[in-house]
Amino acid sequence: DAKTTQPPSMDCAEGRAANLPCNHSTISGNEYVYWYRQIHSQGPQYIIHGLKNNETNEMASLIITEDRKSSTLILPHATLRDTAVYYCIAVNYNQGGKLIFGQGTELSVKP
Amino acid sequence: DTAVSQTPKYLVTQMGNDKSIKCEQNLGHDTMYWYKQDSKKFLKIMFSYNNKELIINETVPNRFSPKSPDKAHLNLHINSLELGDSAVYFCASSQVGGYEAFFGQGTRLTVV
């Protein structure tokens, strides 16, 4: 599985867009990019995933560069409840559902 | 209605004891997992079961034995508990081969 690299921490002002980067320069053509988050004292929560096209759902948008070496998770209007650790995971679909979590990015949304 | 529920939420026990953590999911998923999050917040898969069959066993000590009585339940039994077993254990479930997993709230195990 491709290794992902994320900044350890980021701050964002409440109401502003939070842009969380992820580097996955060794990702292979059949690996998807998944994003999860873990709010303090809770289990991880699935956010969004994509292969090469940009994706959007009710929680966030995912922008994947054309060369697929990096991606950005966008929370369009961050709230205090979005404070969490965000994990970017490269997934190969032959792993039986196994998710390999890295250290993630600790996002702090400030008033 | 909680999708993935674990009991207990907190567990404090002495070294050498045997304990179990229960997990149930009401999502109709065929695959269930156990993950361990250590004190450094590193989250790692331990086991996965697909319709009661063990699929993934990530070199976990034999003292850890998962049991799946049916596809909605995956329990984790731990024998001869050690200090290093202290962690938060998360149960999760997904569709077969799916990576959109639903996680429980976790069980914080403290071995003293």
Side-chain angles (χ1 to χ4, degrees), chain A:
Chain A
D1 291 333
K3 178 180 169 58
T4 62
T5 305
Q6 300 176 252
S9 63
M10 291 182 65
D11 288 342
C12 177
E14 189 178 17
R16 304 299 293 266
N19 298 291
L20 293 99
C22 179
N23 183 291
H24 32 79
S25 58
T26 61
I27 198 168
S28 62
N30 61 350
E31 285 184 305
Y32 287 71
V33 179
Y34 274 69
W35 284 82
Y36 277 76
R37 73 179 182 184
Q38 186 175 21
I39 296 170
H40 181 62
S41 296
Q42 296 184 22
Q45 176 189 25
Y46 165 79
I47 301 173
I48 198 168
H49 74 278
L51 181 62
K52 50 185 176 182
N53 296 323
N54 297 338
E55 303 287 345
T56 295
N57 64 18
E58 64 279 3
M59 288 183 69
S61 294
L62 175 60
I63 309 296
I64 302 175
T65 58
E66 193 169 340
D67 63 8
R68 302 211 325 122
K69 291 182 185 295
S70 65
S71 60
T72 301
L73 179 75
I74 301 173
L75 308 178
H77 305 287
T79 71
L80 298 179
R81 288 177 295 181
D82 291 320
T83 292
V85 178
Y86 287 78
Y87 298 97
C88 168
I89 306 171
V91 167
N92 188 316
Y93 277 4
N94 66 359
Q95 294 295 307
K98 173 180 168 181
L99 294 166
I100 301 175
F101 290 85
Q103 292 300 308
T105 295
E106 188 164 6
L107 175 69
S108 296
V109 181
K110 300 181 184 298

Side-chain angles (χ1 to χ4, degrees), chain B residues 59-106:
Chain B
T59 60
V60 176
N62 291 337
R63 299 182 296 103
F64 290 79
S65 54
K67 295 280 194 306
S68 182
D70 56 61
K71 73 173 192 177
H73 296 84
L74 181 62
N75 305 322
L76 184 65
H77 188 76
I78 315 170
N79 289 326
S80 303
L81 278 154
E82 301 176 358
L83 293 176
D85 297 331
S86 296
V88 182
Y89 292 84
F90 289 99
C91 177
S93 73
S94 71
Q95 299 283 9
V96 174
Y99 291 80
E100 295 175 39
F102 288 78
F103 284 76
Q105 291 300 295

Side-chain angles (χ1 to χ4, degrees), chain B residues 19 39 43 50 57 89 93 111:
Chain B
K19 290 293 178 184
S39 57
L43 193 63
N50 183 31
N57 182 339
Y89 292 84
S93 73
V111 182

